[in-house]
Amino acid sequence: MCRPDNFEVRYSINAWMDPGRPTFPEIGLSQWKWLHDVIVDLGHRVDLIDPLPGLPDMVFAANGALALGERALVARFRHPQRAEEPAAYLEWFGSRGYREVRQAAHVNEGEGDFLVAGGTVLAGTGFRTEPAAHAETARFFGRPVLGLTLVDPRFYHLDTALTVLGDDEIMYYPPAFCPASRELLAARFPGALAAEEADAAVFGLNALSDGRHVILPRAAGRLAGRLAERGYEPIGVEFTELLKAGGGIKCCTLELHGTPPRSLSGPR
Ligand code: ARG
């Protein structure tokens, strides 16, 4: 995770960002801290990357890379406003014993558009990550990649429209995807939880699951109820301020999948 020390909406690179609307950095920071503490209280280890001045979107750590086992493929952002972030992630992974660390050759927004579901990597395109980056990710990690096309500008990253709940279970907002991608998802995940518009519109799908607990925005109340019916433990957190930048809970967390290098395993 990356502390939002410099949170503000100074430019607009997605449909949520309006630089004319006031932001409250101290609210953003306290909501972020609350999320951080909820994750730690659930028993998970959280490592931090230092925020760099002048990069307000760096709080959205999910976009920094995709990390699986001892390999990390670092992002290459579509917009120049975020182009300086990858250097920090190359340094972070490089100094922590990762065996292979490289910046993607194609536009690739890390876990914003790449989600690990069991042995498969679900990969979004349409707004940010390029299709060529899907093939690059498949080659780099030696994993099958399922490409999915996003069509609604409110849901411009895959992680805004789909949450991996467990190896074989997802929840998603079908209208965010093109018809062919909807068919792919329905075939691959027949038991998936299809979210309603009201929950998707408050970034209910930008959620974080450890297979049992699902941390999601408090505003996504109906979705929380449906998760509980399926045996998950939903944990609602207030996460309204960073949404002004088009970011939510999952956006703030980059997961280290598989078994990370020894320097990162074990308790903090
Ligand atoms: N303002 C950021 C951008 O548009 C938000 C990134 C949200 N991150 C995510 N993983 N969906 O790039």
Side-chain angles (χ1 to χ4, degrees):
M1 297 181 77
C2 181
R3 258 173 80 97
D5 281 349
N6 311 296
F7 178 68
E8 58 177 324
V9 178
R10 210 193 308 136
Y11 48 79
S12 179
I13 56 173
N14 68 51
W16 300 81
M17 300 174 90
D18 171 7
R21 188 171 166 212
T23 47
F24 302 95
E26 56 303 332
I27 296 179
L29 181 59
S30 73
Q31 292 182 341
W32 179 91
K33 277 188 182 156
W34 187 271
L35 171 65
H36 171 276
D37 292 352
V38 166
I39 298 170
V40 170
D41 287 347
L42 288 173
H44 301 294
R45 177 191 165 112
V46 178
D47 290 281
L48 300 175
I49 185 166
D50 291 330
L52 296 174
L55 300 176
D57 275 335
M58 203 172 158
V59 59
F60 303 117
N63 296 123
L66 176 65
L68 248 166
E70 300 195 341
R71 289 200 171 94
L73 187 57
V74 170
R76 181 174 297 277
F77 286 93
R78 178 164 295 278
H79 299 99
Q81 290 91 339
R82 302 194 66 183
E84 285 167 46
E85 295 179 37
Y89 286 90
L90 286 167
E91 201 280 321
W92 197 95
F93 285 103
S95 62
R96 277 163 180 81
Y98 274 76
R99 260 198 293 149
E100 229 185 309
V101 181
R102 196 210 291 158
Q103 186 177 19
H106 298 282
V107 172
N108 169 327
E109 300 209 349
E111 275 204 323
D113 276 321
F114 290 99
L115 297 171
V116 177
T120 306
V121 180
L122 308 180
T125 187
F127 295 98
R128 299 289 181 90
T129 295
E130 297 176 320
H134 295 180
E136 185 183 14
T137 292
R139 275 196 308 276
F140 185 77
F141 294 104
R143 294 273 185 120
V145 166
L146 184 70
L148 301 164
T149 303
L150 296 159
V151 294
D152 180 331
R154 288 175 300 166
F155 308 110
Y156 58 95
H157 274 143
L158 182 63
D159 72 354
T160 65
L162 186 151
T163 313
V164 175
L165 295 169
D167 281 356
D168 245 325
E169 195 165 17
I170 62 165
M171 57 179 183
Y172 69 115
Y173 180 54
F177 296 88
C178 78
S181 298
R182 271 189 241 177
E183 278 176 34
L184 283 178
L185 285 167
R188 174 78 171 71
F189 301 98
L193 196 171
E196 289 166 28
E197 150 101 67
D199 290 315
V202 292
F203 260 30
L205 294 160
N206 197 252
L208 193 60
S209 170
D210 63 8
R212 177 166 162 219
H213 312 95
V214 182
I215 308 173
L216 77 175
R218 191 164 289 154
R222 212 179 125 67
L223 193 56
R226 296 178 65 201
L227 284 165
E229 281 165 18
R230 288 184 175 226
Y232 290 96
E233 271 181 55
I235 301 171
V237 301
E238 199 67 30
F239 220 74
T240 47
E241 190 59 26
L242 295 179
L243 191 55
K244 294 175 183 168
I249 290 163
K250 169 59 203 166
C251 299
C252 288
T253 50
L254 171 57
E255 290 165 76
L256 306 176
H257 296 280
T259 310
R262 202 117 50 87
S263 64
L264 284 170
S265 49
R268 236 176 115 77

